[in-house]
Amino acid sequence: MLIVRKNNDNWMSNLFNDFVEDRYMPRMNATAPAVNIKENKERYEMEIAAPGLKKEDWIISLDEDGNLDVKMEKKQEHKEEDAKQVYLRREFNYTSYEQTYTLPDDVNKEKISAKVVDGVLHIELPKKTQEDELKKQRNIAID
């Protein structure tokens, strides 16, 4: 029979390991921002957690295949008052993020919009209307 014991006597050792790994070694389990995707009859809506980021930190574009590219780059500025602070652990630091999303066929790619509100990047993806589909229809001249 195998017995697993949790030993909290090593808390100092664990604290030191966390400190050394965070300060001198890169974290291997970095995560991407949380994303919510909602749908209703008129549109899809994406919400990407972006605390502390401004609209200038984001680039949103469509690639050559019509996929949605979402990129973020935050350049950390070091101020004089930062020199007075000593961080034992610092996790408030996204440096860059990039994700490509394949869009559904019914998204009107000409009308995609985005904004940053209260630490959340909102991307609105309107669905094509019947009117949009009718605009695509045309007669082809026969030579």
Side-chain angles (χ1 to χ4, degrees):
M1 173 187 240
L2 176 65
I3 299 174
V4 178
R5 294 177 63 187
K6 291 185 179 179
N7 187 352
N8 289 333
D9 294 339
N10 290 333
W11 69 271
M12 184 61 132
S13 172
N14 291 338
L15 177 66
F16 180 77
N17 287 341
D18 285 348
F19 174 74
V20 170
E21 288 173 4
D22 284 349
R23 191 145 197 206
Y24 301 109
M25 297 171 147
R27 289 191 89 131
M28 299 307 287
N29 62 346
T31 59
V35 177
N36 294 331
I37 301 175
K38 302 184 281 187
E39 178 186 11
N40 62 37
K41 288 186 345 183
E42 294 87 26
R43 73 185 61 81
Y44 300 94
E45 294 177 46
M46 294 179 67
E47 301 169 328
I48 301 176
L53 300 178
K54 301 174 184 155
K55 69 179 187 175
E56 296 82 17
D57 299 326
W58 294 95
I59 298 172
I60 303 170
S61 60
L62 292 173
D63 68 14
E64 62 276 356
D65 296 323
N67 299 314
L68 186 71
D69 285 333
V70 179
K71 299 176 187 176
M72 179 277 298
E73 185 174 359
K74 179 69 173 175
K75 295 180 180 170
Q76 191 80 19
E77 293 181 22
H78 296 287
K79 300 177 184 170
E80 291 232 2
E81 60 242 23
D82 289 344
K84 298 175 186 173
Q85 298 291 322
V86 176
Y87 287 91
L88 297 178
R89 183 176 189 129
R90 189 172 189 168
E91 293 185 352
F92 286 16
N93 197 4
Y94 286 114
T95 53
S96 67
Y97 162 78
E98 182 173 351
Q99 183 71 45
T100 299
Y101 298 93
T102 302
L103 297 176
D105 292 336
D106 62 344
V107 170
N108 184 338
K109 295 176 183 175
E110 302 297 319
K111 294 185 179 179
I112 295 173
S113 63
K115 62 184 174 184
V116 176
V117 178
D118 296 331
V120 178
L121 172 66
H122 296 268
I123 303 172
E124 188 173 297
L125 306 156
K127 292 182 179 179
K128 294 176 185 172
T129 63
Q130 286 182 343
E131 186 177 297
D132 294 331
E133 292 300 317
L134 289 175
K135 288 179 185 177
K136 284 184 176 180
Q137 295 177 3
R138 63 183 177 96
N139 289 329
I140 298 173
I142 301 173
D143 291 331

